[in-house]
Amino acid sequence: MSTLSIVIGVTERGSRAVLAAEALKKAAAALGAAASVETRSPDGVATPLDDATIAAADAVLLVGDVPADGRFAGKATTTATVEAVLADAGRVVAAAVAAAGSAAAPTGAAKFVVAITSCPTGIAHTFMAAEGVEQGAKALGHTVKVETQGSVGAQNTLTAEEIAAADLVIIAADTNVDLARFAGKRVFQSGTKPAIGDGKGLVARAFAEATVLGGAKGGAGRDLAAEVAAEKAARAAARTGAYKHLMTGVSYMLPFVVAGGLLIALAFALGGIYVYDDAHAGTLGQALFNIGAKAGFALMVPMLAGFIAYSIADRPGIAPGAIGGMLAGSIGAGFLGGIVAGFMAGYVVAFLAKAIRLPKNLEGLKPILLLPLLGTAITGLLMIYVVGEPVAAVLAAMTDWLKGLGTTNGVLLGIVIGAMMAFDMGGPVNKAAYTFATGLIASGVYTPMAAAMAAGMTPPLGIALATWIFRDRFTAEEREAGNAAAVLGISFITEGAIPFAAKDPMRVIPALMAGSATAGVISMLVGAELKVPHGGVFVLPIPNAVVHLGGYLVAIVAGTLVTAVLLRLLKKPATA
């Protein structure tokens, strides 16, 4: 069992040091490690570490603002920010534990090894490599669990607890494997061939040559971008069920909407709003329009549906989902039909994968032939004969209502979209509003998208402005982070406001929601339209990307000012 000595240093009064200490103790206990924690704040030093405790420690973890200390000379030391601890204490502790044992596995000591194997086709080499790693680890006296990422998707999937407990991670793959969940662990990567040819030698080499992946980094300054990235990763990892599947589909759909929308805007800039008619045949403008509208936008709903199904049923779900999405487009069911087709295809294929049993030597036919064929047939027939027309009717009614919005209804919609975008800054409520607005682009309704982006930009922009003009409300660390918040704000990364809201949610979040609602209302009132779903201020200069650009800029500026002023009124003067 590893023993850790931990020092947490903060420059402001409050509960953050205590919360971080408790989180680290729980994370250490979950990993089977013992932790002693010293906290330093303007109120003094609590539970100081004595010399005997430090001497017995296998590693030292310094969190936050901790100056160099000779007491820890010669100890394996890692650093982290307080925000990183609050976001994922397990990852921080895992990095410290890994540093304590990062030399090589002691001879004869039984270790727990986790591995992933994968090959391009996902059939033979994936499972042969898995067998090689398993046999090699057992021959060396270690316990092992191998996750295979084959043609039928991930099998024998590694849990977060197993990864946290692992002494070594082996990636034996000929494809790209996402390593995000192994941050802070000792990782060794190779192709499948060494695992198949000499599994025992591969495992021994991995223990000798593995290196710690990533890990939290500390420093005197505050890295707001890193905090935001950590928060987004933590939220992505926490997604489950239907929300996770929908967000997977949306993330793969967005590049098609962005590329298609910008190409259409450029086409209009070159040939006018009638660039698609016969008078412009053969022109560059019409060519760009055809690429953006007839290719880019045509793939938007199929990609949404295909990757919703992929999230549910892995690779065998992509074809049934994408084809169901294509049918949704042809029927007129739009993005709503795509969502329905994606979930329907995913769950149909997942059911078939469990229900169909084949001899082991024929299992390779299931993901390549049977699941795509049967899944596509069932999903397609259901779209054509059962759900397609009703969903198309719902979408048509919603589109007509949105296009015919009066002033009162437009104001209400702007308030709702704006407040939702700021409420949890990238969380489920924010994403619900954003997905609604993005999906309507394919139906030619652009005002909700404009309101959503304006409302999503104002939280970090308002905070940045407040740190500049109301400096007494923020600590020196927060004022420095305000500069990064401004960059995130103009880039439409709402999560840039999260670290500030997390410290003082009861005062900050209402200010953010009021500012975003203001931006959303003004955007709707001026009739601003946004043809692309992302990009922040960088898409504003593109001709025809934004309709009523002047009014739209007023909406963003007004929302930013309201946010900053309310922060001045609601927040108490900073104590440090």
Side-chain angles (χ1 to χ4, degrees), residues 7 38 40 54 60 62 66-74 77:
V7 181
E38 172 183 309
R40 303 177 182 178
I54 296 171
V60 173
L62 305 179
V66 181
D69 194 328
R71 294 185 298 165
F72 308 126
T77 303

Side-chain angles (χ1 to χ4, degrees), residues 491-514:
S491 304
F492 184 29
I493 301 176
T494 315
E495 290 88 344
I498 290 175
F500 296 88
K503 286 186 63 176
D504 194 6
M506 300 306 294
R507 295 182 179 88
V508 173
I509 292 178
L512 303 184
M513 292 177 66

